[in-house]
Amino acid sequence: MTVTIDASLKLEDAMKRVAEIVRCLEQNESSLEEALRFFEEGIALTRFCHSKLDEAEHKIEILTRATAEGVESKPIDS
């Protein structure tokens, strides 16, 4: 099974879901198959969050690059 994460998902919502998954796995009440599904979803969400944070870091770097006139701002290619 491959987990697909909706690109419009907000970072905060993804992080909340990861926390829910961790709670479910910590309770040890899931079958092995269900635990594996939770784990796979958690990994996909973690990668999604990492990607979103990388994008934000990139935007911050671009917006704070100093020039002779002050702060330089460039549009970001999506």
Side-chain angles (χ1 to χ4, degrees):
M1 179 177 120
T2 301
V3 176
T4 303
I5 305 299
D6 182 356
S8 67
L9 181 65
K10 292 183 180 181
L11 174 67
E12 296 80 6
D13 293 334
M15 292 172 63
K16 285 178 188 175
R17 179 61 184 148
V18 170
E20 290 172 7
I21 290 169
V22 169
R23 277 192 295 278
C24 289
L25 290 172
E26 287 177 340
Q27 291 175 355
N28 287 330
E29 295 177 1
S30 304
S31 67
L32 177 60
E33 292 79 17
E34 188 176 33
L36 287 172
R37 282 193 304 273
F38 280 141
F39 183 76
E40 185 176 11
E41 181 183 0
I43 292 295
L45 286 165
T46 301
R47 288 180 178 149
F48 172 83
C49 290
H50 189 269
S51 173
K52 288 289 188 184
L53 291 171
D54 282 347
E55 288 174 22
E57 182 180 25
H58 180 68
K59 287 179 183 180
I60 290 168
E61 287 173 359
I62 289 172
L63 292 170
T64 58
R65 237 180 247 148
T67 67
E69 298 90 38
V71 175
E72 176 183 343
S73 179
K74 294 182 180 178
I76 297 174
D77 298 330
S78 296

